[in-house]
């Protein structure tokens, strides 16, 4: 029991520490999309006018499933931590603050945190997402920064 409380306090401390280093708010637990993610993510709407702009925060080890943005696009602006982006058929790409990723219409991909780092990006997204299979654990666990 004491060990569990310690672990919860530790997780809260890690989140607070991450937030202190970030410009944009972490926001609320990303419950609406949780079934399309492995691990815990958070979502903060920055603007929903004209095009959706969201700050997305991933706890260490968290990543979204493979997905496609149909009839649209996605631009990711990396603002914190270390993470990954991968398009189907290509190697995974290590991400750090300042990196910009442009995903074109119809391209299957995933994005998320490194195993041992919080990760944060702003996502500017247009179109309709199609959610696909999770990123396999054995593949993800084998990724190295
Ligand atoms: Mn995406």
């Amino acid at each position: 029991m004491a060990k569990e409380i310690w672990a919860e306090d530790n997780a809260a401390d890690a989140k607070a520490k991450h937030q202190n280093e970030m410009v944009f708010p972490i926001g609320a637990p990303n419950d609406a999309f949780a079934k399309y993610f492995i691990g815990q993510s958070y979502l903060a709407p920055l603007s929903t006018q004209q095009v959706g702009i969201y700050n997305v925060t991933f706890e260490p080890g968290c990543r979204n499933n493979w997905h496609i943005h149909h009839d649209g696009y996605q631009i990711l602006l990396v603002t914190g931590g270390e993470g990954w982006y991968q398009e189907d058929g290509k190697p995974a790409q290590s991400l750090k603050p300042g990196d910009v990723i442009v995903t074109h219409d119809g391209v299957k991909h995933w994005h998320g945190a490194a195993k041992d780092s919080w990760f944060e990006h702003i996502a500017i997204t247009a179109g309709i997402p199609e959610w696909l299979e999770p990123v396999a654990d054995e593949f993800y666990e084998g990724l190295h920064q």
Side-chain angles (χ1 to χ4, degrees), residues 76 78 81-85 93-97 99 101 119 145:
L76 305 177
V78 180
E82 292 181 349
W84 295 102
Y85 172 80
Q93 185 179 336
S94 175
L95 297 179
K96 61 182 189 319
D99 287 341
I101 294 288
F119 179 61
Q145 223 75 17

Side-chain angles (χ1 to χ4, degrees), residues 59-138:
E59 288 191 357
C62 176
R63 72 273 191 185
N64 51 31
N65 288 2
W66 289 98
H67 61 283
I68 297 170
H69 302 286
H70 288 288
D71 301 320
Y73 57 86
Q74 188 170 58
I75 300 165
L76 305 177
L77 308 174
V78 180
T79 52
E82 292 181 349
W84 295 102
Y85 172 80
Q86 185 179 24
E87 295 187 350
D88 193 24
K90 297 182 181 176
Q93 185 179 336
S94 175
L95 297 179
K96 61 182 189 319
D99 287 341
V100 176
I101 294 288
V102 177
T103 306
H104 292 271
D105 192 349
V107 174
K108 180 178 173 180
H109 67 287
W110 66 273
H111 28 119
K115 284 190 287 278
D116 55 358
S117 175
W118 284 71
F119 179 61
E120 188 161 315
H121 64 54
I122 290 169
I124 301 167
T125 312
I128 309 294
E130 177 189 5
W131 293 97
L132 303 166
E133 71 278 10
V135 178
D137 282 338
E138 55 272 28

Side-chain angles (χ1 to χ4, degrees), residues 6-7 11 26 30 46 49 57 88 99 104 106 111 115 129:
W6 181 85
I26 287 176
N30 188 7
L46 303 180
Q49 300 179 55
T57 301
D88 193 24
D99 287 341
H104 292 271
H111 28 119
K115 284 190 287 278

